[in-house]
Amino acid sequence: MTIYHPSQQQGAAVFQAIPLNNRKKLSSSEVIKFGRNPNICQYTFQDKQVSRVQFSLQLFKELDSSVLSFEIKNLSKRTSLLVDNRELGYLNKVDLPYRCMVRFGDYQFLLEKQDGESLEFFETQFFLSPRSLVQEVNWPVPEFSRLSSCSTQSTSPIEIDENEF
């Protein structure tokens, strides 16, 4: 995972608790949680804008397949999670492709899966990007610059004529 937050350039320690450049071996049955609470989350962010538990990653194997995959689930009631420009509300989950961009607030994660042999373990490794990942890999930027807060009400896109601005 390559990670980025704009405040890191001003010396903020938002990723202080995340081990950079080192591989960490985890059990394949473990659900990995990311957020602010160190008692619940394996990877924590030093930022009050982050939910206590922001999102989780879980390994799984499709039925009748030997291929291992990951799913990501948004566990924040306050903030949507954007996975390749697909917005996930609270408790929504999606299977991750081999390479994808995950964003919430000002946080950016480029997740890249590498194939391996083990069904018992997998490894994580974090790298800090010196510049925005959206700009670096020319990822499409959605129409809104920050992710919206989740609401329990269903909202639909509204079409507006250009002359109504």
Side-chain angles (χ1 to χ4, degrees), residues 19-147:
L20 298 173
N21 304 317
N22 297 322
R23 290 179 183 260
K24 182 174 181 181
K25 192 175 186 178
L26 300 161
S27 169
S28 59
S29 63
E30 193 168 349
V31 176
I32 307 167
K33 293 182 181 162
F34 294 76
R36 195 179 72 229
N37 187 332
N39 297 322
I40 299 171
C41 300
Q42 290 88 336
Y43 298 108
T44 57
F45 307 108
Q46 310 299 312
D47 183 351
K48 294 198 185 283
Q49 298 296 318
V50 175
S51 295
R52 287 183 183 90
V53 182
Q54 190 73 44
F55 66 92
S56 68
L57 290 176
Q58 185 170 13
L59 191 66
F60 72 95
K61 188 171 74 164
E62 292 282 344
L63 190 62
D64 299 325
S65 173
S66 61
V67 178
L68 294 175
S69 299
F70 285 92
E71 68 178 20
I72 188 167
K73 183 191 291 186
N74 184 11
L75 297 173
S76 173
K77 293 180 183 177
R78 295 184 304 151
T79 308
S80 293
L81 192 65
L82 201 60
V83 180
D84 280 349
N85 291 325
R86 187 172 178 188
E87 189 171 359
L88 301 180
Y90 177 59
L91 296 181
N92 291 146
K93 67 179 183 176
V94 67
D95 297 349
L96 293 177
Y98 270 85
R99 185 174 194 254
C100 68
M101 181 75 70
V102 174
R103 293 179 275 174
F104 66 92
D106 289 329
Y107 288 85
Q108 301 172 11
F109 301 80
L110 179 61
L111 278 60
E112 298 177 279
K113 180 182 159 192
Q114 295 178 350
D115 289 330
E117 303 285 323
S118 177
L119 293 177
E120 304 298 320
F121 299 98
F122 67 95
E123 294 179 331
T124 58
Q125 187 172 19
F126 294 89
F127 301 99
L128 191 61
S129 176
R131 58 194 151 274
S132 170
L133 295 166
V134 173
Q135 295 169 355
E136 189 171 310
V137 296
N138 292 324
W139 220 267
V141 178
E143 291 180 21
F144 48 93
S145 60
R146 288 186 68 99
L147 295 175

